[in-house]
Each structure stands twice: as C-alpha cells, then as structure tokens.
Amino acid sequence: MLNVRLFSATDKECYLKFSKDFYISGAALEPIPEENMCRTFDALMSGNPYADGFMILSDDIPAGYCLISFLWSTEMGGLLALIDELYISPDFRGQKLGSAFLQYIEEYYKGRVVGLRLEVCSSNRGAIRLYEKQGFHFLEYQQMIKKLA
C-alpha cells in the first residue's frame, strides 16, 4: 500500500542511496556528484520554497522518492510542478507505486499549480509508458542548458 510523506531529516541516508541508484540507472543522462544530492537535501530541510521532496513508502518501508521543483509558465498560465526526479527501487517496481504516486501528487497540488511537467530519457521506455498512462504527452521542445560557475 502506498504511503507518501515529505522528507524528514532522518531520510538523508535513504535518499542518498536511492538518488545514487537513480543517477546510474539510465533514468538520467549521467551520474552527478554526491555533493549535489546533499545540497538538494539540505535545501529541502531548510525550508526552501522552490522545491519539495517526497519519500514514497510501501507499507511504511521506503520504496522510492520524488523531487519536485516549481517554475512559472506563461504558456500554461501559472505555476507548474516539475517532477525533477521520480525513483522507485527495483525491489518495489511492478507494484503500481509510480502510478499511485503520480495520482497522489496530482491531488496534492490541485489548486496550487496549473500543471505537472517532467523530463524523461528517451531510452527509459518503462517510465515513458507509465507517464503516458497517467496522461502526460511529449512536447515538441528540446531543452538546452548552460551551467554557470
């Protein structure tokens, strides 16, 4: 059974384990430094208003996590919740936790955001199927990035 809660300070070790796996699993383009993961977790614990971190549990056992950040979209007419990272541990895949979680956050943010947006690697076919079943569709944009020092 799905249980969801916002991160607590005691989740750091579990989050780091899950995040490291996320970044080597093919769900992301490349691994990132653990320092970045720690910075994100610490920002969430300090009350950063631009992001939320959720622990996804199966019967109170940590099964995954999700990071949400927020951005304003003139095109969509308001605030979007960007699903930045959604990870379900391999031990818990196939139990429909991802689907249940996406339905949960849609209700959680109802009335506060105008939509949900996410990124997915084209090679991550399982995630694409999950997202399409939940009503997501591809945009015709390609994203670009420039890292600042």
Side-chain angles (χ1 to χ4, degrees):
M1 173 181 210
L2 175 77
N3 291 310
V4 179
R5 61 175 170 72
L6 291 169
F7 281 168
S8 70
T10 60
D11 291 324
K12 189 170 189 174
E13 184 178 320
C14 186
Y15 159 71
L16 289 174
K17 176 184 176 291
F18 285 160
S19 186
K20 288 174 188 174
D21 192 42
F22 174 85
Y23 276 95
I24 62 168
S25 71
L29 296 176
E30 59 190 32
I32 65 169
E34 183 176 329
E35 170 188 323
N36 291 10
M37 298 170 199
C38 290
R39 188 178 305 126
T40 295
F41 190 86
D42 293 344
L44 290 166
M45 291 300 95
S46 71
N48 183 321
Y50 306 111
D52 287 332
F54 293 94
M55 187 59 63
I56 301 169
L57 305 121
S58 176
D59 295 323
D60 297 325
I61 299 169
Y65 76 96
C66 182
L67 298 178
I68 304 278
S69 55
F70 303 100
L71 63 136
W72 187 266
S73 171
T74 302
E75 186 175 349
M76 291 290 293
L79 191 64
L80 291 177
L82 173 68
I83 301 168
D84 191 38
E85 298 176 17
L86 173 55
Y87 172 83
I88 304 295
S89 170
D91 296 338
F92 293 91
R93 292 183 190 155
Q95 298 180 22
K96 305 224 181 277
L97 293 175
S99 296
F101 177 76
L102 289 169
Q103 292 167 10
Y104 171 87
I105 61 164
E106 190 170 328
E107 188 62 31
Y108 183 86
Y109 289 115
K110 191 175 186 176
R112 295 191 279 166
V113 301
V114 298
L116 303 173
R117 189 168 179 162
L118 55 81
E119 299 172 338
V120 62
C121 288
S122 60
S123 61
N124 196 346
R125 301 303 307 162
I128 291 169
R129 281 191 303 275
L130 166 67
Y131 299 142
E132 288 178 335
K133 285 180 185 176
Q134 293 298 313
F136 288 85
H137 65 276
F138 282 100
L139 297 170
E140 294 298 319
Y141 299 112
Q142 291 190 23
Q143 290 194 348
M144 299 173 72
I145 192 166
K146 178 181 180 180
K147 187 172 182 172
L148 303 177

